[in-house]
Amino acid sequence: MPMIAKPRFLPMRIHVNQALARRLPKNHPIIPILENSTSKINSGYHGEVEVDFHLKYLDDKEHHIFRDLRLSHPLHHFQLDNLILSRKYILHLEVKNYTGTLYFDEKLKQFYQTANNAEKGYQHPLTQLRRQNAQFLDWLAARGFSGLPVISQLVFSNPAAVIKTNDAGIRRLVCKADQLKAQLSTVLSSASVDIMTEKEQRKLSRLLLKENLPHKPEVLKNYDIHYDELRKGIQCPACSAFYMKRKHRFWVCPHCHHHSSHAHVDALLDYFLLVKPTITNSEFRDFMCLSSVKTSSNLLVSMGLPHQGINKGRVYFAPLNFHSLLEERRIQVRNHPINR
């Protein structure tokens, strides 16, 4: 298997949408919009995971795989679904999870989908692919890696999709996920000479990881939702009801009587997702519905959060393993008996 230099996590927008849905009244008009947004993003994510499966055949000594990179550009940030770094080539794979019949009209430079007896046009995915390629080449040149060739491929992950075109040349740039291995064997057959040394490959890998800028949606601002509209307090991990009470070092659910020593951690993750990446003792008490300064201080200290300042001026930051904690919570929720 190849070396996964940067793994793929569930998109941050899904975590944010789910946190907002939890923290709003169930009849809030934005809930259906959040559910629709989450469904679309989740579909794209599963398409990318499908392509990840078909990349397992690559030699681990030769390839460094980066998933969901987001890099800076003078005009704006750009994202790369999959970047594969080898000493012989750099490969960029853009993934689409469309269903139905997909038609590339290269005479009119249009791309459209026919599904459920309806036709819908989209931004031409090859235009997007070429733009991302140009932005990445600019990024490389600005960091002393000019002249490196970048090979790009558009991959459709849905096995039921049918691809049609009026230009046979499209086949060199487009394939389905289950055809990826054969497609890359053809496309990469001419890449027989090293374009960088092993030292340069390691240097570029470090740069990509260092300069990756994960996207953090400002969801309250985007949906024009005020902080005071959020449901504060601790949600029960057993029955999902609000509001757990703090009793003798435990959080106790008044509905199902479940006890938890760490239910505040999930609430704090919601705060960091929705509000901001820092929190003070006063803000913690407000969001957790606590009155005791000492209890709040003890809970914050017990989590080992990065911080600066002392006494009332102390500010706590989101944990360094924030993404890992979100993934752990997702797995726990998925495996909870109520969700099986």
Side-chain angles (χ1 to χ4, degrees):
M1 291 177 62
M3 186 185 88
I4 309 302
K6 181 187 176 298
R8 188 183 309 285
F9 292 110
L10 191 74
M12 184 60 69
R13 187 56 184 266
I14 292 181
H15 289 296
V16 170
N17 284 356
Q18 292 173 340
L20 183 56
R22 277 192 298 274
R23 293 283 164 179
L24 288 175
K26 292 186 181 299
N27 61 349
H28 197 286
I30 208 71
I31 297 294
I33 297 174
L34 291 172
E35 291 173 344
N36 184 55
S37 169
T38 299
S39 177
K40 289 181 178 178
I41 298 169
N42 202 39
S43 174
Y45 168 72
H46 284 292
E48 292 166 359
V49 170
E50 174 69 18
V51 171
D52 294 343
F53 172 79
H54 291 283
L55 290 174
K56 290 182 178 180
Y57 74 91
L58 294 173
D59 182 357
D60 61 332
K61 295 180 181 179
E62 294 292 331
H63 302 88
H64 298 177
I65 295 184
F66 300 82
R67 294 167 175 162
D68 282 336
L69 277 174
R70 184 171 178 265
L71 303 171
S72 64
H73 188 268
L75 297 178
H76 49 73
H77 296 93
F78 65 98
Q79 187 161 327
L80 304 174
D81 288 343
N82 285 282
L83 190 73
I84 302 168
L85 193 61
S86 162
R87 292 198 298 275
K88 290 183 169 56
Y89 58 83
I90 300 175
L91 176 64
H92 165 218
L93 302 178
E94 177 67 17
V95 181
K96 300 294 182 185
N97 192 21
Y98 293 130
T99 60
T101 299
L102 312 172
Y103 192 78
F104 289 84
D105 186 340
E106 292 307 287
K107 292 181 180 179
L108 297 177
K109 298 300 178 184
Q110 294 184 141
F111 172 79
Y112 56 87
Q113 171 198 49
T114 303
N116 300 320
N117 298 317
E119 189 173 276
K120 183 178 181 180
Y122 292 91
Q123 177 189 20
H124 202 304
L126 289 179
T127 300
Q128 178 188 3
L129 186 74
R130 293 179 181 116
R131 181 176 64 249
Q132 290 170 333
N133 215 42
Q135 291 170 322
F136 184 50
L137 287 171
D138 288 344
W139 185 93
L140 287 170
R143 287 149 185 83
F145 289 93
S146 58
L148 292 180
V150 177
I151 302 169
S152 298
Q153 285 283 303
L154 182 63
V155 185
F156 289 95
S157 58
N158 193 311
V162 177
I163 302 172
K164 294 184 177 182
T165 182
N166 56 10
D167 182 354
I170 289 292
R171 300 296 179 185
R172 294 182 292 102
L173 300 171
V174 177
C175 72
K176 293 171 68 173
D178 58 1
Q179 303 164 344
L180 186 57
K181 183 176 181 179
Q183 178 87 346
L184 293 184
S185 295
T186 301
V187 171
L188 302 175
S189 60
S190 60
S192 57
V193 179
D194 285 359
I195 61 171
M196 68 181 86
T197 64
E198 185 176 350
K199 182 179 179 180
E200 289 170 330
Q201 184 188 25
R202 290 197 303 268
K203 179 182 177 181
L204 182 51
S205 290
R206 288 194 299 269
L207 268 175
L208 289 166
L209 291 174
K210 180 181 178 181
E211 299 200 22
N212 177 56
L213 299 167
H215 180 51
K216 172 61 169 64
E218 295 181 329
V219 67
L220 298 187
K221 179 180 178 181
N222 293 343
Y223 288 119
D224 194 26
I225 293 173
H226 194 271
Y227 172 76
D228 290 336
E229 293 182 66
L230 300 178
R231 289 195 291 182
K232 301 178 181 67
I234 309 298
Q235 185 179 28
C236 177
C239 72
S240 300
F242 286 87
Y243 300 82
M244 299 185 83
K245 304 295 183 182
R246 187 74 178 172
K247 294 181 180 179
H248 308 297
R249 297 180 179 271
F250 285 94
W251 296 101
V252 182
C253 177
H255 300 275
C256 72
H257 308 295
H258 176 75
H259 285 54
S260 172
S261 61
H262 56 272
H264 57 281
V265 175
D266 282 345
L268 186 59
L269 292 178
D270 283 352
Y271 182 92
F272 287 141
L273 284 168
L274 299 176
V275 185
K276 58 178 182 174
T278 64
I279 194 167
T280 64
N281 187 299
S282 174
E283 291 165 338
F284 185 83
R285 295 199 312 273
D286 177 68
F287 197 75
M288 306 296 165
C289 298
L290 285 169
S291 58
S292 170
V293 174
K294 183 177 180 181
T295 298
S296 295
S297 179
N298 289 340
L299 289 172
L300 284 165
V301 170
S302 71
M303 287 184 280
L305 299 172
H307 59 270
Q308 67 179 27
I310 59 173
N311 300 328
K312 291 183 179 181
R314 175 165 289 188
V315 177
Y316 297 87
F317 300 89
L320 299 177
N321 62 337
F322 187 54
H323 282 83
S324 298
L325 290 174
L326 292 174
E327 285 294 305
E328 289 175 12
R329 175 166 72 170
R330 179 174 72 94
I331 293 170
Q332 289 171 359
V333 170
R334 185 181 62 194
N335 293 335
H336 194 283
I338 198 172
N339 295 318
R340 289 179 181 171

